[in-house]
């Protein structure tokens, strides 16, 4: 309290003298910052000469000057004697780099410590190798001047088989605070009480490094006082109450490269900046790995960054390469791995088989042959020990180097046949679920078949779509494996189930690959009709998702030839329709005329076969091409006739698809009326189109109609209505991740 009184006393004398801090600084020669630190209590025991200068500037009486001098003397650091070096700090890294945001938080928290207030406690948590101890030690060095009563460090040995007992840690801390060994109570609770009582009056900084868990740490926490305690742990220590949490992730790429440069020297780093960035990347921007890489380069002056990058580029040897002396990335991970339960160890090893960068609970359950609840518990245990990251709820991922460590554990601890069995089980499950999820969008399917049970329920189309998107890399990898293994019927089944879903996620970037694999698989099955179907899907992917129109036409015409060979008239009609789409977007006059010819011929074949959906699509394509050829009246006639037919309940076909086709016909009518300057009729047809288009929600189609409606509304003198429609288009595009289209709409907004 004496040291705290100095700040209050100085402030009181300054106020009595009616001086600002700046005026006192000018009069005394003591800096503004130093005076501010004294008054806040951050500097509690200034030197005698400083106190005398302040007393003269404040024109204090001899009695008041003596009072200020005594307060300063009482606030000077007490000796924090450590017995046998037990509480001495490790060496601060002279090349410490980065963590600016975390250091700023610690600075702010240190500024906030107050005598009589609650003690400031901070946890610094994160996986192995993140630099938790380095950050805590470096922060303690930076903050030393704010804690004049001592800095104490204890390694709690949380990763050891027998972590340091709280009673032993308390004994070391009490000795560090100057308590004679004979005066330390034998009872743990009494030691904790004595420790808290001492810290109530002292401005100390305590670092409790490498904590095993909450139970080990709780007895070591001060209750109140002007001190600060930093706790590092691989666990989150989320059970501790009233603490500030600072979780650490890997460094940003530029900070990791800067750390490597600081270790090897600026000159060597500057000679190859690309190699510097590549080594940091191959280290996963993990501080420990970057430090080891830097140390290896320091010990091998003949190596350049490119040579080390080449060694690290071999995944099979990367962990082995990331070792220098007694520092090893794999060793740091192993300390966490051995803390896991046997179930969590099995989950950890087998997740190395997952092809995607992140995964959910069901995949882990399938790989480890657990129920969902057991798998979730194991995953959370892995997160708690820093061997997995959880970027958001129910999703998990490895750090790149941890994945390599998991792969090594799998190879060493599980027979090859068990590994293959787990992989086959995972891939089979992924493809099973992909088929059922995709069929939610297929006419005639919908909900999973009765009795279907595959760890997840997929109870609605939204849930099915969310799974297909979040697990896309995983099921696509499984499809590739099935293709490599010659499971042709399986590949075709999966691709077929994606036919209608692909419309909802056109620009994911992999539909060409899916339908290339399925058309090749159908060819391997020697089924020309089936191959025609999947070549048509491929034509769609090439033309619509990749804008490779010439390739799209070739695929459709190849499908036409196969359909003719198979005698499949309906598929011939679809082939001509897909060929018309490809030619339409090539854009030349001859291309458009050819597209009209293909579309009308296809419409005739589809009508003959009673394919209501296909006929509508072919007529829509023909009308679109006629409009582009400025044959608007002919397009209007086709579209009016089609809209009337589609609006007849007896038309047939899938209700959702027919509704979408009707919406497309009405949208086409809106376009035709717009081109003729008949704006009220255009507005009417666009508005009629929207509810129908939403029956099979293709974001680009709905957004396009909204934008055209906005143009028509503006032309009819309804600018506010146009603005509201554009806002809806913007929201739809943004929600779907169509950022370029969203930006274009935003630019159009008044």
């Amino acid at each position: 309290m004496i040291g705290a009184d100095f700040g209050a006393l100085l402030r009181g004398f300054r106020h009595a003298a009616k001086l600002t801090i700046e005026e006192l600084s000018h009069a005394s020669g003591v800096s503004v910052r130093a005076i501010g630190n004294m008054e806040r209590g951050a500097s509690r025991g200034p030197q005698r000469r400083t106190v005398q200068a302040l007393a003269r500037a404040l024109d204090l009486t001899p009695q008041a000057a003596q009072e200020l001098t005594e307060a300063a003397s009482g606030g000077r650091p007490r000796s924090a004697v450590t017995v046998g070096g037990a509480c001495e700090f490790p060496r601060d890294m002279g090349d410490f780099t980065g963590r600016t945001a975390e250091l700023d938080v610690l600075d702010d928290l240190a500024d906030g410590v107050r005598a009589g207030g609650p003690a400031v406690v901070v946890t610094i948590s994160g996986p192995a190798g993140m630099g938790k101890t380095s950050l805590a030690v470096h922060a303690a060095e930076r903050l030393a001047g704010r804690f004049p009563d001592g800095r104490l460090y204890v390694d709690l040995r949380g990763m050891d088989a027998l972590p340091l007992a709280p009673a032993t840690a308390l004994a070391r801390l009490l000795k560090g605070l100057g308590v004679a060994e004979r005066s330390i109570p034998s009872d743990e609770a009494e030691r904790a009480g004595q420790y808290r009582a001492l810290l109530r009056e002292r401005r100390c900084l305590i670092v409790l490094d490498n904590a095993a868990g909450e139970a080990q740490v709780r007895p070591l926490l001060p209750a109140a006082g002007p001190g600060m305690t930093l706790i590092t742990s691989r666990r989150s220590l989320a059970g501790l109450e009233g603490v500030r949490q600072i979780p650490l992730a890997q460094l940003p790429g530029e900070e990791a490269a800067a750390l490597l440069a600081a270790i090897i020297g600026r000159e060597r780093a500057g000679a190859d900046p690309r190699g510097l960035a590549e080594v940091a990347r191959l280290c996963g921007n993990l501080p420990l790995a970057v430090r080891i890489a830097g140390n290896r380069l320091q010990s091998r002056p003949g190596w350049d960054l490119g040579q080390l990058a080449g060694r690290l580029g071999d995944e099979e040897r990367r962990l082995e390469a990331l070792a220098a002396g007694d520092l090893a990335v794999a060793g740091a991970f192993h300390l966490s791995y051995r803390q896991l339960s046997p179930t969590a160890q099995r989950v950890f090893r087998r997740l190395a088989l997952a092809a995607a960068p992140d995964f959910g609970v069901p995949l882990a359950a399938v790989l480890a042959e657990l129920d969902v609840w057991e798998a979730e518990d194991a995953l959370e245990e892995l997160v708690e020990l820093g061997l997995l990251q959880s970027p958001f709820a129910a999703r998990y991922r490895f750090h790149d180097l941890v994945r390599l460590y998991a792969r090594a554990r799998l190879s060493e601890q599980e027979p090859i046949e068990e590994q293959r069995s787990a992989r086959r089980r995972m891939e089979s499950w992924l493809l099973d679920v992909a088929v059922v999820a995709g069929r939610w969008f297929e006419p005639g399917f919908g909900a999973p078949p009765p009795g279907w049970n595959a760890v997840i329920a997929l109870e609605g189309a939204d849930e099915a779509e969310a799974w297909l998107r979040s697990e896309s890399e995983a099921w696509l990898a499984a499809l590739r494996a099935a293709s490599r293994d010659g499971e042709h019927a399986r590949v075709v089944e999966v691709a077929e189930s994606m036919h209608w879903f692909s419309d909802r996620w056109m620009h994911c970037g992999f539909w060409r690959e899916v339908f290339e694999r399925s058309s090749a698989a159908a060819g391997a099955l020697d089924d020309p009709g089936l191959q025609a179907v999947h070549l048509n899907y491929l034509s769609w992917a090439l033309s619509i998702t990749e804008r490779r129109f010439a390739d799209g036409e070739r695929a459709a015409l190849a499908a036409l030839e196969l359909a003719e060979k198979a005698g499949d008239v309906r598929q011939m009609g679809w082939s001509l329709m897909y060929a018309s789409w490809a030619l339409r977007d090539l854009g030349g006059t001859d291309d458009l005329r050819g597209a009209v010819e293909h579309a009308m011929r296809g419409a005739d074949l589809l009508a003959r076969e009673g394919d209501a959906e296909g006929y509508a699509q072919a007529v829509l394509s023909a009308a679109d091409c006629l409009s582009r050829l400025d044959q608007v009246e002919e397009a209007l006639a086709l579209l009016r006739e089609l809209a009337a037919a589609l609006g007849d309940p007896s038309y047939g076909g899938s209700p959702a698809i027919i509704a979408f086709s009707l919406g497309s016909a009405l949208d086409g009518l809106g376009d035709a009326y717009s081109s003729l300057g008949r704006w009220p009729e255009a507005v009417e047809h666009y508005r009629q189109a929207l509810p129908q288009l939403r029956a099979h929600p293709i974001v680009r189609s709905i957004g396009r109609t909204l934008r055209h409606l906005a143009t028509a509304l503006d032309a009819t003198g309804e600018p506010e209505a146009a603005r509201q429609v554009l806002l809806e288009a913007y929201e739809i595009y943004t929600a779907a991740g169509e950022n370029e289209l969203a930006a274009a709409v935003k630019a159009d907004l008044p």
Side-chain angles (χ1 to χ4, degrees):
M1 293 297 289
I2 295 172
D5 284 345
F6 174 79
L9 196 60
L10 176 61
R11 189 183 304 108
F13 287 144
R14 180 173 62 79
H15 287 170
K18 297 183 179 179
L19 294 176
T20 65
I21 289 180
E22 289 78 7
E23 289 168 338
L24 178 56
S25 172
H26 180 74
S28 66
V30 180
S31 71
V32 169
R33 181 175 181 180
I35 295 171
N37 284 341
M38 293 176 207
E39 291 194 359
R40 290 199 320 273
S43 176
R44 305 170 63 209
Q47 297 300 311
R48 181 178 293 273
R49 284 175 302 183
T50 301
V51 178
Q52 289 171 344
L54 291 168
R56 284 193 298 271
L58 291 164
D59 196 21
L60 297 181
T61 66
Q63 183 179 353
Q66 182 62 28
E67 187 180 357
L68 190 65
T69 301
E70 289 176 356
S73 177
R76 290 190 186 112
R78 299 172 176 85
S79 176
V81 181
T82 58
V83 177
C87 290
E88 281 294 322
F89 270 74
R91 180 173 62 92
D92 184 20
M93 297 294 182
D95 50 22
F96 185 92
T97 303
R99 302 299 190 199
T100 304
E102 292 84 355
L103 288 167
D104 286 346
V105 169
L106 293 171
D107 280 345
D108 291 343
L109 291 169
D111 282 343
V113 298
R114 292 289 183 271
V120 173
V121 179
V122 184
T123 62
I124 301 172
S125 61
M130 285 298 170
K132 301 178 290 296
T133 299
S134 295
L135 173 61
V137 170
H138 185 70
E141 186 67 25
R142 279 169 52 110
L143 300 173
R146 305 190 204 183
F147 297 96
D149 294 343
R151 296 181 303 136
L152 307 175
Y153 170 91
V154 176
D155 182 357
L156 298 177
R157 301 205 310 266
M159 291 294 103
D160 287 6
L162 289 173
L164 195 69
T168 305
L170 283 164
R172 292 184 184 178
L173 289 164
L174 288 167
K175 289 177 186 176
L177 290 168
V179 178
E181 190 164 356
R182 64 180 177 275
S183 299
I184 297 175
S186 58
D187 180 72
E188 179 185 310
E190 291 182 17
R191 287 182 184 181
Q194 185 181 32
Y195 176 65
R196 287 193 294 271
L198 287 170
L199 290 183
R200 192 173 292 116
E201 302 296 331
R202 300 195 186 189
R203 199 175 185 90
C204 291
L205 177 62
I206 313 295
V207 172
L208 304 174
D209 192 23
N210 193 16
E214 292 90 342
Q216 183 191 34
V217 168
R218 278 197 182 93
L220 313 180
L221 299 184
M228 186 173 183
T229 299
L230 307 182
I231 308 164
T232 75
S233 180
R234 295 190 186 189
R235 300 179 183 273
S236 66
L237 304 181
L240 294 179
E241 305 86 357
V243 305
R244 177 65 179 268
Q245 295 186 355
I246 299 181
L248 292 189
Q250 60 261 37
L251 294 168
E254 61 275 13
E255 287 190 9
L259 173 58
L260 182 57
I263 296 168
I264 66 174
R266 301 295 172 185
E267 183 177 348
R268 197 173 180 188
D272 186 4
R274 293 180 66 179
L276 186 82
E278 179 64 4
V279 169
R281 185 191 69 79
L282 290 168
C283 289
N285 299 330
L286 187 74
L288 174 61
V290 172
R291 182 160 297 283
I292 290 170
N295 289 355
R296 290 201 72 184
L297 284 167
Q298 278 192 306
S299 66
R300 293 164 176 80
W303 282 18
D304 60 31
L305 285 156
Q307 286 174 299
L308 181 57
R311 287 174 177 263
L312 295 176
D314 181 355
E315 283 194 351
E316 298 302 320
R317 299 183 59 194
R318 189 176 303 166
L319 287 180
E320 179 184 331
L322 287 172
D326 61 354
L327 279 180
V329 169
F333 296 155
H334 189 68
L335 291 174
S336 293
Y337 178 74
R338 73 184 188 185
Q339 299 274 326
L340 297 171
S341 66
T343 298
Q345 287 184 348
R346 183 167 82 252
V347 170
F348 176 74
R349 293 192 301 269
R350 292 192 179 176
L351 281 172
L353 296 169
D358 60 83
F359 36 82
V361 177
L363 183 72
V366 169
L367 274 169
E369 300 175 277
L370 301 170
D371 66 37
V372 172
W373 309 114
E374 291 173 317
E376 186 171 24
D377 287 346
L379 289 167
E380 288 301 314
E381 186 180 342
L382 289 164
V383 171
E384 182 68 9
L385 273 162
L387 289 171
L388 281 183
Q389 302 164 6
S390 185
F392 47 91
R395 298 295 295 179
Y396 303 86
R397 68 182 177 207
F398 281 116
H399 182 277
D400 290 347
L401 296 179
V402 177
R403 182 188 290 274
L404 295 179
Y405 177 75
R407 187 184 299 170
R409 298 282 67 71
L410 179 72
S411 178
E412 289 178 11
Q413 294 183 241
E414 298 203 19
I416 188 64
E417 192 48 51
E418 286 187 19
Q419 296 178 44
R420 288 172 179 162
S421 176
R423 185 188 296 277
R424 285 193 295 267
R425 184 170 58 253
M426 172 187 68
E427 291 170 349
S428 178
W429 175 80
L430 284 166
L431 296 181
D432 283 345
V433 179
V435 168
V436 172
R439 282 177 174 168
W440 260 108
F441 309 96
E442 293 287 305
F445 283 96
W452 184 76
N453 182 12
V455 186
I456 57 175
L458 298 183
E459 294 178 348
D462 288 346
E463 189 177 339
E465 182 167 3
W467 187 91
L468 286 167
R469 286 174 179 259
S470 64
E471 299 291 356
S472 59
E473 290 192 58
W475 64 254
L476 185 60
L479 184 70
R480 290 171 182 145
S483 181
R484 287 193 304 270
D485 293 343
E487 298 178 29
H488 305 307
R490 185 69 152 156
V491 172
V492 168
E493 179 188 34
V494 173
E496 183 64 46
S497 75
M498 298 293 161
H499 175 213
W500 288 99
F501 172 69
S502 60
D503 273 340
R504 299 172 71 99
W505 197 18
M506 287 185 188
H507 299 282
C508 63
F510 53 66
W511 293 124
R512 175 182 56 79
E513 179 186 355
V514 168
F515 297 128
E516 277 180 345
R517 290 186 182 279
S518 63
S519 54
L525 292 169
D526 197 22
D527 187 331
L530 188 63
Q531 190 175 8
V533 170
H534 286 266
L535 279 171
N536 279 327
Y537 298 163
L538 175 59
S539 173
W540 168 85
L542 289 165
S543 298
I544 304 302
T545 73
E546 298 194 2
R547 303 185 67 77
R548 291 167 53 181
F549 306 119
D551 290 338
E553 184 196 17
R554 278 191 288 274
L557 294 178
L560 176 63
E561 185 177 340
L562 285 164
E564 288 172 341
K565 178 181 177 181
D568 189 335
V569 175
R570 176 175 174 273
Q571 208 51 233
M572 289 165 58
W574 276 102
S575 300
L576 288 162
M577 195 275 294
Y578 282 118
S580 79
W581 279 5
L583 279 177
R584 173 191 66 188
D585 289 314
L586 280 170
T589 300
D590 290 342
D591 296 319
L592 287 168
R593 288 175 179 154
V596 172
E597 182 182 340
H598 281 332
M600 295 308 295
R601 184 179 163 206
D604 288 342
L605 294 174
L606 291 162
R608 189 200 318 171
E609 293 298 303
D611 189 329
E613 296 100 334
Y615 171 79
Q617 293 297 311
V619 173
L620 285 167
S621 181
D624 186 17
C625 294
L626 287 168
S627 291
R628 297 184 191 205
L629 287 164
D630 292 328
Q631 296 174 236
V632 181
E633 293 296 343
E634 291 178 49
L636 275 171
L638 270 181
L639 289 167
R640 287 194 194 105
E641 182 182 350
L642 179 62
L646 292 170
D648 186 338
S650 66
Y651 181 79
S654 162
I657 297 169
I658 297 307
F660 178 80
S661 298
L662 175 56
S664 298
L666 292 166
D667 177 70
L669 285 166
D671 288 347
Y673 287 124
S674 292
S675 69
L676 295 172
R678 294 162 62 175
W679 298 111
E681 290 163 288
V683 168
E684 177 187 354
H685 284 85
Y686 287 137
R687 281 179 166 160
Q688 291 176 7
L690 283 166
Q692 306 296 332
L693 291 173
R694 290 186 172 108
H696 184 63
I698 299 174
V699 167
R700 291 203 164 201
S701 296
I702 296 170
R704 174 190 174 281
T705 300
L706 286 167
R707 294 176 74 181
H708 288 184
L709 172 58
T711 301
L713 285 166
D714 208 36
T716 58
E718 300 180 67
E720 182 53 33
R723 182 175 177 279
Q724 293 303 316
V725 167
L726 283 175
L727 282 172
E728 184 183 352
Y730 176 76
E731 289 169 3
I732 287 173
Y733 284 143
T734 301
E738 293 279 6
N739 298 327
E740 288 186 15
L741 290 170
V745 172
K746 189 174 183 180
D748 290 340
L749 279 166

